[in-house]
């Protein structure tokens, strides 16, 4: 290299030419040096399948997040993934005999976290009492959420928004171990920061069912003596929890797939009819909304029927069909005068049947359909307290802009974000 750059031996006539060559060589050397330096700093982007051994980045000594926080975050992700996996795996295989299903259930019992008493669940009574008393609730609502927190989406959040739009001084307790978590706190924070009274609380089922007709049924279930059936157990437990929490506390139970249009303050000891005959007599009731005083005898009757006729193989057997059976029997019995309750017409909570719910999500660009939408909205504004969305049928449907559901949510939401992307 010294000989190459010995200018004394080079002819003066070639100085300009050599200067150009030297300049180019110098620039090339700088580019190569920078390139090598850059490649050593970009090892984080080297594929794990590369045959080259990457150099250690100098940034490895300066993590952007502490190890403790990273560990907590990883643990939380693992917990959420486990919740989803548990929710899927705790549905029994199809085509098993009763004996085989009971055997399967006994083996899976340790994985049914909702059946267990934990440190958090044992605080249920004190937490609920403190929440209801300290918030001076004008009306108290209850919901259940047994699915993973990650599946509580915009559609469910709209139900909370419309509830508080109609009941700004109301309180809502969501009985849920999955939402009683950091993720649940983040979901509900959008409302709590605005001053609305909502909390998720892990339920203690042994307390809720204690001294009720389902106490011994629950003991048999925990001991593996009951056939859970092919229907997901979480669904049937939700049917039972709503009855027990109203019996213990009184108030209003709501499914999470409701749009609330007006306040319930004038309603008391009421259940809604889902359908009526041509003569106007109800043919089926539904348990998606229940409004009852504490210790109401009809709730007791519902729980008695649950324990006596439980069948986990028939959809609706322990829910809508159960309340229908009990009330129908009471109507023809000598006991009916001992029960003080009202059956509200379908327009109150179920103004559209589950078969026709798709029409509420769609916007048709014809004059006839536009007139129908306006007429339906006018009817709902006068006679309807809430609209059941029948999520079992509509959860995958988009809310089209201008549809009935879009109009209802737009008029009754609080934050009103991403309505027709849900």
């Amino acid at each position: 290299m010294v000989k190459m750059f010995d200018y004394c031996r080079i002819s003066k006539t070639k100085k300009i030419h050599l200067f150009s060559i030297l300049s180019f060589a110098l620039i090339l050397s700088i580019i190569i040096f920078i390139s090598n330096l850059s490649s050593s700093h970009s090892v984080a982007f080297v594929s794990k399948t590369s045959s080259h051994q990457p150099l250690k980045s100098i940034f490895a000594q300066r993590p952007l997040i502490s190890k403790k926080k990273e560990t907590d975050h990883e643990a939380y992700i693992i917990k959420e993934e486990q919740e989803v996996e548990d929710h899927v795996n705790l549905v029994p295989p199809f085509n098993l005999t009763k004996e085989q299903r009971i055997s399967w259930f006994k083996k899976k019992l340790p994985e049914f976290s909702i059946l267990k008493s934990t440190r958090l669940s044992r605080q249920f009574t004190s937490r609920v009492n403190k929440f209801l008393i300290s918030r001076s609730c004008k009306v108290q609502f209850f919901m259940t959420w047994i699915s993973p927190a990650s599946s509580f989406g915009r559609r469910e959040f709209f139900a909370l928004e419309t509830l508080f739009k109609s009941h700004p001084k109301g309180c809502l307790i969501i009985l849920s171990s999955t939402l009683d978590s950091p993720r649940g706190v983040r979901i509900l924070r959008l409302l709590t920061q605005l001053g609305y009274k909502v909390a998720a609380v892990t339920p203690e089922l042994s307390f809720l069912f204690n001294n009720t007709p389902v106490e011994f049924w629950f003991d048999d279930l925990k001991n593996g003596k009951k056939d859970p059936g092919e229907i997901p157990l979480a669904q049937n437990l939700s049917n039972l929890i709503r009855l027990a929490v109203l019996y213990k506390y009184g108030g209003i139970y709501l499914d999470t797939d409701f749009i609330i249009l007006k306040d319930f303050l004038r309603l008391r000891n009421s259940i809604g009819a889902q359908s009526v005959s041509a003569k106007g007599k109800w043919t089926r009731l539904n348990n998606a909304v229940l409004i009852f005083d504490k210790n109401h005898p009809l709730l007791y009757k519902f729980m008695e029927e649950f324990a006596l006729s439980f069948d986990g193989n028939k959809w609706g057997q322990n829910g809508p069909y159960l309340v229908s059976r009990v009330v129908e029997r009471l109507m023809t019995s000598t006991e009916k005068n001992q029960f003080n309750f009202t059956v509200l017409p379908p327009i109150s909570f179920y103004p559209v049947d589950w078969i026709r719910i798709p029409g509420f999500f769609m916007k048709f660009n014809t004059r006839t359909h536009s007139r129908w939408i306006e007429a339906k909205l006018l009817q709902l504004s006068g006679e309807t307290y809430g609209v059941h969305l029948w999520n079992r049928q509509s959860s995958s449907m988009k809310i089209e802009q201008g549809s009935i559901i879009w109009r209802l949510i737009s008029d009754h939401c609080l934050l009103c974000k991403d309505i027709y992307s849900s």
Side-chain angles (χ1 to χ4, degrees), residues 122-131 249:
R122 286 190 290 272
Q123 300 173 30
F124 174 78
T125 310
S126 60
R127 291 175 69 191
V128 170
N129 289 337
K130 181 179 179 181
F131 180 83
Y249 294 98

Side-chain angles (χ1 to χ4, degrees), residues 271-278 280-290 302 315-328 331 341-355 388 390 392-393:
I271 187 170
Q274 177 182 324
S275 58
V276 294
S277 66
K281 183 182 182 299
W282 66 264
T283 56
R284 183 179 298 173
L285 306 181
N286 201 296
N287 66 337
V289 55
L290 299 167
F302 289 156
W315 187 91
Q317 165 74 10
N318 315 299
Y321 298 156
L322 181 150
V323 296
S324 300
R325 290 194 307 271
V326 172
V327 173
E328 187 173 21
M331 293 297 98
F341 70 96
T342 303
V343 175
L344 298 170
I347 192 65
S348 298
F349 299 111
Y350 312 100
V352 58
D353 194 76
W354 63 271
I355 296 174
H388 192 210
W390 305 103
R392 188 179 174 90
Q393 281 71 38

Side-chain angles (χ1 to χ4, degrees), residues 45-199:
F45 301 98
V46 177
S47 170
K48 290 183 180 179
T49 58
S50 172
S51 59
H52 300 288
Q53 183 68 26
L55 298 174
K56 188 174 181 180
S57 170
I58 60 173
F59 295 113
Q61 306 299 324
R62 299 164 61 185
L64 298 178
I65 186 170
S66 71
K67 183 173 285 188
K68 182 179 185 303
K69 287 183 179 179
E70 186 176 4
T71 303
D72 290 345
H73 178 70
E74 289 172 352
Y76 179 61
I77 295 297
I78 291 170
K79 182 179 183 295
E80 281 209 324
E81 290 174 348
Q82 188 62 43
E83 282 178 0
V84 175
E85 187 178 347
D86 288 348
H87 189 69
V88 173
N89 291 341
L90 295 182
V91 178
F94 287 108
N95 300 321
L96 296 183
T97 64
K98 178 180 177 180
E99 291 72 23
Q100 288 173 330
R101 200 159 43 241
I102 291 175
S103 176
W104 171 88
F105 184 58
K106 285 181 179 178
K107 292 177 182 177
K108 288 284 186 178
L109 266 173
E111 300 176 41
F112 281 85
S113 58
I114 191 170
L115 303 180
K116 300 175 184 176
S117 180
T118 65
R119 180 191 60 79
L120 197 56
S121 71
R122 286 190 290 272
Q123 300 173 30
F124 174 78
T125 310
S126 60
R127 291 175 69 191
V128 170
N129 289 337
K130 181 179 179 181
F131 180 83
L132 295 177
I133 294 171
S134 64
R135 301 304 194 280
S136 301
C137 308
K138 192 170 184 179
V139 57
Q140 54 196 44
F141 288 88
F142 297 94
M143 291 179 173
T144 62
W145 188 259
I146 303 181
S147 301
S150 57
S151 61
F152 194 94
R154 286 297 305 156
R155 187 76 61 85
E156 289 75 25
F157 197 81
F158 285 143
L160 309 190
E161 288 190 47
T162 60
L163 185 154
F164 285 111
K165 182 70 175 287
S166 300
H167 305 83
K169 295 183 179 180
C171 295
L172 170 63
I173 292 178
I174 306 175
L175 281 72
S176 173
S177 60
T178 57
L179 286 176
D180 192 5
S181 65
R183 183 176 189 132
V185 170
R186 289 200 301 273
I187 291 171
L188 300 180
R189 185 179 293 147
L190 293 171
L191 293 171
T192 56
Q193 286 181 336
L194 295 175
Y196 295 104
K197 307 161 189 175
V198 55

Side-chain angles (χ1 to χ4, degrees), residues 252-270:
I252 300 169
Y253 169 81
L254 278 175
D255 273 359
T256 55
D257 55 347
F258 260 97
I259 297 173
I260 309 304
L261 307 184
K262 63 176 67 173
D263 71 63
F264 292 19
L265 299 179
R266 295 181 182 180
L267 300 179
R268 188 176 173 192
N269 299 323
S270 303

Side-chain angles (χ1 to χ4, degrees), residues 375-388:
K376 181 59 68 174
L377 288 169
L378 182 62
Q379 180 192 34
L380 295 176
S381 68
E383 306 174 58
T384 303
Y385 290 92
V387 178
H388 192 210

